[in-house]
């Protein structure tokens, strides 16, 4: 696209903010609620965009060639768009140092340290009173000095102007705001403030030319690395024939299939057989989805990611049988019930009924947060009426990003199967149909917790904390701290086959060597639990060279080939007050043929995989009995950490 003059070489992607709350409007852009998951996604995304083959381990990172420049955003603690009158241009995210160190910042740290990203975007919001784009502690100290960023820092669009007109930070003029952001370490303004007011700021002695020189140096080095001035030979021949290739379309299909998550499959209803189910009712507001399948961003004509064509759900199912389509709703809002009877009639005569419902960009999107966790309008009524009238099995397909409380459908015996497909992209319809009819066995896992609808009444979106607050009646957030009932938990996902795990434990004790002058660090323990003599040690005081291995044999004891995503968690020693229930430390997808078995190997660093963060934001390695948990508890074993 760049060679054809249709794109640049710097891409402001990926979004790696934590999906802290399902109401967040931009949750479609976020990889999930777990910082390790999000950070791993960030590293792979960035490496995929940036790495030029053969230069991945370049000794001088400031001159390492870039295919294109990626940009991890939005730094940091950004996840409020516009919720009940509170918008991102005025919001001050009050965040504890513990939550910052433990949850909000680790994905960005992994993006910089492990992904070697060449760009970071600072966010609109304030963090503890200071606009993130004007905070030298975040930009200069954390990003550049502590994490060693080799790249540039850019504002979210018009963030400098927002400082003046929205946050009214220190009653700054535009010249003051430019001085604040340049000195903090922000190199580029996505907006008009830098070009328009920087000259005035220099003339008023608020900005030094050396500040501008440093920003320009960071920007031009990235341009040189992308080959903007002299090109990169390996990519000069790419052109129109390399766009929309069959290989690319198949990759889009594969991505959609791998992300589809089976949430219910009563009595092994799925997959359907083409011999038995020839007449299909395909109903619902997403039955003929095209642009909606893309989620945020890509649909905009100004971006180079517009698909060459779409395969809608109707198109996909038409390859398997005769389709009778009925929208059931005029749109996602589904404010009227006048179209429901047609969908009901279709279901009455169909061998099987597929209902496609959910959300779209009129409900969850940039600049708009949700206020509830329900399906919009009369979608629930559509589902119930169609399910009650259907002659054959009913399959419910949910297209959305944030979780939706569909307890009514989960508990409805007429609804035999439920699939969550996210926003599956251009080939989404083909992927959904292939899963329903068994050409592909789903193995996806939920990257976020699906809460019950009353969750939104218990805690405001604007409360940034993750741990429960009993004094306010606030529940915890994410699987790490929420202990209430859910519609579906983080990491949930079924398959058309059955897998058995056998863990091959290689280590029962992890001895950690301390230096002569290493200090023990205290931890708060419950009164009825025994505290170790040396409860913990600061990770920074350790060499952190201890590793432990875990080998898991995955056996497919079912009748179908399938892929299994193996999740591994660590649980800290019992009795520590205020820490997480468990944390994800590893995940791998493995394909296992029916009747076959595969061994999945993990290697974990003790400090990273067993560490906790205390109330003072110290990263600690606790001693005592940790527990390694595989999946949803299908296997677990103790791991004793000892200091010597």
């Amino acid at each position: 696209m760049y060679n054809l003059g249709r794109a640049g070489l710097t891409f402001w992607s990926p979004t790696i903010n934590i999906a802290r709350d399902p109401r967040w409007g931009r949750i479609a852009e976020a990889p999930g609620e777990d910082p390790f998951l999000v950070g791993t996604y960030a590293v792979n995304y960035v490496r995929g965009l940036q790495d030029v083959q053969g230069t991945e381990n370049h000794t001088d990172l400031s001159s390492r060639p870039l295919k294109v420049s990626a940009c991890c955003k939005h730094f940091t603690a950004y996840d409020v768009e516009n919720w009940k009158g509170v918008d991102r241009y005025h919001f001050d995210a009050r965040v504890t140092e513990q939550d910052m160190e433990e949850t909000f910042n680790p994905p960005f740290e992994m993006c910089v340290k492990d992904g070697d990203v060449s760009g970071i975007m600072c966010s609109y919001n304030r963090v503890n009173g200071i606009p993130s784009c004007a905070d030298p502690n975040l930009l200069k100290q954390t990003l550049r000095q502590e994490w060693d960023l080799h790249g540039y820092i850019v504002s979210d669009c018009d963030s400098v102007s927002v400082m003046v007109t929205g946050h009214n930070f220190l009653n700054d003029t535009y010249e003051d705001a430019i001085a604040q952001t340049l000195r903090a370490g922000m190199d580029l303004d996505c907006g008009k403030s830098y070009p328009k007011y920087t000259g005035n700021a220099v003339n008023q002695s608020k900005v030094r030319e050396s500040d501008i020189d440093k920003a320009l140096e960071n920007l031009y080095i990235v341009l040189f690395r992308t080959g903007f001035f002299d090109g990169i030979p390996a990519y000069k021949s790419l052109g129109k024939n390399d766009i929309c290739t069959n290989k690319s379309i198949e990759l889009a299909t594969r991505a959609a299939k791998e992300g589809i998550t089976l949430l219910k499959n009563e009595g092994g209803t799925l997959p359907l057989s083409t011999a038995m189910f020839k007449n299909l009712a395909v109903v619902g507001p997403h039955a003929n989805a095209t642009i909606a399948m893309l989620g945020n961003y890509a649909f905009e004509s100004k971006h180079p990611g517009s698909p060459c064509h779409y395969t809608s759900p109707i198109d996909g199912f038409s390859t398997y049988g005769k389709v009778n389509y009925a929208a059931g709703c005029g749109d996602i809002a589904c404010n009227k019930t006048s179209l429901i009877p047609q969908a009901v009639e279709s279901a009455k005569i169909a061998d099987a009924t597929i209902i496609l419902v959910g959300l779209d960009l009129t409900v969850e999107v940039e600049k708009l947060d949700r206020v509830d966790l329900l399906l919009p309008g009369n979608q629930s009524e559509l589902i119930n009426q169609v399910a009650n009238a259907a002659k054959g099995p009913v399959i419910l397909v949910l297209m959305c990003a944030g979780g939706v409380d569909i307890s009514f459908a989960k508990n409805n015996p007429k609804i035999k199967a439920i699939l969550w497909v996210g926003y599956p992209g251009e080939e989404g319809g083909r992927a959904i149909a292939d899963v329903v009819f068994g050409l592909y066995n789903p193995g996806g896992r939920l990257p976020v917790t699906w809460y019950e609808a009353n969750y939104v009444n218990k805690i405001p979106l604007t409360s940034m904390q993750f741990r429960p607050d009993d004094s306010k009646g606030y529940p915890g957030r994410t699987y790490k701290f929420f202990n209430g009932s859910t519609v579906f938990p983080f990491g949930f996902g079924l398959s058309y086959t059955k897998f058995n795990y056998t863990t091959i434990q290689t280590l029962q004790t992890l001895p950690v060597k301390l230096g002569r002058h290493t200090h023990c660090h205290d931890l708060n323990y419950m009164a009825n639990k025994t505290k170790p003599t040396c409860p913990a040690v600061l990770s920074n005081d350790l060499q952190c060279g201890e590793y432990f291995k875990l080998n898991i044999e995955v056996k497919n004891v079912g009748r179908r080939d399938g892929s299994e995503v193996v999740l591994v968690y660590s649980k800290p020693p019992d009795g520590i007050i205020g820490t997480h229930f468990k944390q994800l430390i590893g995940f791998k997808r493995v394909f296992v043929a029916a009747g076959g078995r595969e061994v999945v190997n993990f290697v974990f660093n003790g400090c990273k995989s067993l560490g906790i963060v205390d109330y003072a934001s110290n990263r600690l390695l606790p001693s005592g009995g940790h527990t390694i948990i595989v999946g949803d508890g299908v296997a677990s074993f103790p791991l004793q950490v000892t200091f010597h």
Side-chain angles (χ1 to χ4, degrees):
M1 285 292 192
Y2 171 75
N3 288 347
L4 296 170
R6 298 297 182 90
L9 291 171
T10 55
F11 286 83
W12 290 346
S13 194
T15 297
I16 61 166
N17 298 104
I18 296 291
R20 179 181 58 90
D21 191 294
R23 290 167 285 186
W24 180 35
R26 298 182 77 171
I27 197 169
E29 302 173 45
E33 69 182 36
D34 178 84
F36 174 75
L37 165 65
V38 176
T40 304
Y41 169 93
V43 171
N44 283 273
Y45 194 119
V46 168
R47 288 286 179 183
L49 259 65
Q50 291 193 163
D51 283 359
V52 175
Q53 191 171 0
T55 67
E56 296 89 345
N57 299 310
H58 206 273
T59 52
D60 180 9
L61 295 181
S62 294
S63 63
R64 187 171 77 92
L66 301 171
K67 183 166 53 180
V68 298
S69 170
C71 175
C72 284
K73 63 184 186 181
H74 311 80
F75 190 64
T76 185
Y78 169 77
D79 52 17
V80 172
E81 299 299 312
N82 191 341
W83 181 79
K84 294 187 176 182
V86 179
D87 68 35
R88 59 186 182 172
Y89 307 126
H90 300 84
F91 182 56
D92 184 9
R94 310 303 292 191
V95 183
T96 66
E97 287 299 319
Q98 183 180 34
D99 283 337
M100 192 72 84
E101 183 74 19
E102 183 178 52
T103 304
F104 288 114
N105 280 358
F108 289 94
E109 183 176 6
M110 292 175 69
C111 178
V112 174
K113 288 183 174 180
D114 301 328
D116 188 30
V117 75
S118 53
I120 293 284
M121 178 182 286
C122 50
S123 53
Y124 287 115
N125 55 289
R126 284 172 285 161
V127 179
N128 297 327
I130 305 174
S132 65
C133 292
D135 191 340
N137 177 56
L138 289 176
L139 307 189
K140 192 169 285 184
Q141 180 178 321
T142 302
L143 284 173
R144 292 208 182 277
Q145 295 174 7
E146 294 180 15
W147 298 348
D148 196 24
L149 170 69
H150 292 83
Y152 70 101
I153 300 173
V154 60
S155 74
D156 205 339
C157 295
D158 295 320
S159 286
V160 178
S161 178
V162 165
M163 283 176 58
V164 178
T165 61
H167 296 303
N168 297 312
F169 183 62
L170 302 180
N171 292 317
D172 278 352
T173 63
Y174 280 95
E175 289 80 6
D176 294 327
I178 288 166
Q180 298 266 12
T181 53
L182 272 173
R183 284 200 297 267
M186 194 185 86
D187 304 303
L188 181 64
D189 170 29
C190 171
K192 300 178 181 178
S193 300
Y194 269 23
K196 191 172 182 179
Y197 297 103
T198 302
N200 292 344
V202 172
N203 293 335
Q204 295 171 15
S205 300
K206 294 179 178 179
V207 169
R208 295 180 301 226
E209 285 194 34
S210 59
D211 296 326
I212 301 172
D213 289 343
K214 184 59 184 173
L216 288 170
E217 182 180 313
N218 292 330
L219 294 167
Y220 273 89
I221 286 175
V222 170
L223 289 176
F224 275 113
R225 292 173 63 193
T226 61
F228 180 80
F229 297 103
D230 50 5
I232 295 179
Y235 306 122
K236 284 188 174 180
S237 63
L238 295 175
K240 188 174 180 180
N241 292 336
D242 302 292
I243 299 166
C244 295
T245 63
N246 289 335
K247 182 179 178 181
S248 297
I249 292 170
E250 289 306 311
L251 183 61
T253 309
R254 177 187 163 195
K257 289 178 179 178
E258 289 190 6
I260 291 176
T261 305
L262 181 63
L263 301 178
K264 178 182 179 181
N265 194 22
E266 198 171 286
T269 298
L270 293 182
L272 299 181
S273 162
T274 52
M276 294 178 59
F277 301 96
K278 297 179 179 179
N279 295 307
L280 308 173
V282 181
V283 306
H286 274 318
N288 196 28
T290 52
I291 290 176
M293 295 192 298
L294 301 185
N296 206 354
Y297 275 2
F299 72 94
E300 297 182 41
S301 59
K302 65 184 179 182
H303 292 108
S306 300
C308 304
H309 66 91
Y310 298 95
T311 301
S312 71
I314 293 174
D315 296 333
F317 283 109
S318 293
T319 64
Y320 286 95
K322 182 181 178 182
V323 168
N324 189 357
Y325 163 61
C329 298
D331 52 23
I332 288 299
C334 200
N335 290 322
K336 299 178 181 179
T337 59
S338 57
L339 296 178
I340 293 179
Q342 185 182 355
V344 169
E345 293 304 313
S346 297
K348 285 180 179 179
I349 59 173
D351 297 329
T353 298
I354 300 95
I355 309 174
L356 295 105
V357 297
L359 312 176
D360 67 6
L361 298 189
T362 64
V363 181
E364 52 179 4
V365 71
E366 186 171 356
K367 300 183 182 180
L368 179 64
D369 299 307
R370 287 194 288 163
V371 294
D372 61 47
L373 303 182
L374 304 173
L375 288 170
N378 293 294
Q379 285 194 35
S380 298
E381 182 66 20
L382 167 69
I383 294 168
N384 287 330
Q385 286 194 33
V386 170
N388 290 336
K391 180 183 79 170
V394 175
I395 296 94
L396 179 64
V397 178
L398 293 157
M399 198 177 294
C400 57
V404 179
D405 187 345
I406 52 162
S407 300
F408 73 95
K410 177 183 174 183
N411 300 324
N412 186 341
K414 294 279 288 183
I415 298 173
K416 299 299 183 183
I418 301 175
L419 291 167
W420 175 68
V421 302
Y423 293 115
E426 62 192 73
E427 291 296 318
R430 174 181 164 194
I432 294 167
D434 284 353
V435 166
V436 168
F437 278 92
L439 187 64
Y440 184 84
N441 186 352
R445 304 278 192 164
L446 288 181
V448 293
T449 301
W450 281 34
Y451 301 97
E452 295 174 348
N454 64 359
Y455 182 81
V456 302
N457 302 321
K458 297 177 180 179
I459 185 168
L461 176 61
T462 49
S463 171
M464 302 298 289
Q465 67 193 62
F466 283 84
R467 286 164 175 77
D469 186 340
D470 294 336
S471 67
K472 296 180 180 178
Y474 289 176
R477 295 185 183 277
T478 78
Y479 77 94
K480 294 174 69 175
F481 302 104
F482 179 74
N483 63 356
S485 59
T486 63
V487 182
F488 296 106
F490 172 88
F492 183 78
L494 304 173
S495 172
Y496 295 157
T497 190
K498 179 176 173 56
F499 298 97
N500 285 347
Y501 290 10
T502 303
T503 58
I504 306 167
Q505 187 176 346
T506 60
L507 198 65
Q508 292 183 331
T509 301
L510 186 69
V512 178
K513 186 176 181 179
L514 306 183
R516 288 184 61 188
H517 303 292
T518 302
H519 292 282
C520 292
H521 195 92
D522 196 19
L523 287 173
N524 291 325
Y525 265 75
M526 296 176 183
N528 62 341
K529 299 292 182 180
T530 302
K531 182 191 296 188
T533 305
C534 183
V537 173
L538 287 167
S539 296
N540 286 341
D541 289 346
L542 298 171
Q543 293 184 358
C544 290
E546 292 82 14
Y547 291 84
F548 62 97
K549 296 179 181 179
L550 176 61
N551 301 321
I552 302 171
E553 182 184 80
V554 181
K555 185 176 181 180
N556 185 341
V557 296
R559 298 180 179 179
R560 290 183 172 272
D561 298 348
S563 292
E564 174 77 341
V565 179
V566 180
L567 306 175
V568 182
Y569 301 87
S570 70
K571 180 180 179 294
D574 284 343
I576 299 175
I577 295 174
T579 191
H580 49 260
F581 300 126
K582 63 179 181 179
Q583 64 179 346
L584 185 69
I585 59 174
F587 58 93
K588 287 185 180 179
R589 182 184 291 260
V590 59
F591 175 82
V592 189
R597 63 188 70 198
E598 297 288 340
V599 176
V600 183
N601 302 306
F602 291 94
V603 178
F604 300 108
N605 177 270
C607 287
K608 289 182 178 180
S609 298
L610 304 177
I612 67 172
V613 177
D614 71 3
Y615 67 94
S617 76
N618 296 304
R619 291 189 184 184
L620 305 171
L621 178 61
S623 65
H626 296 252
T627 305
I628 305 303
I629 303 168
V630 181
D632 57 0
V634 293
S636 65
F637 64 89
L639 180 62
Q640 191 77 19
V641 173
T642 60
F643 296 146
H644 67 95

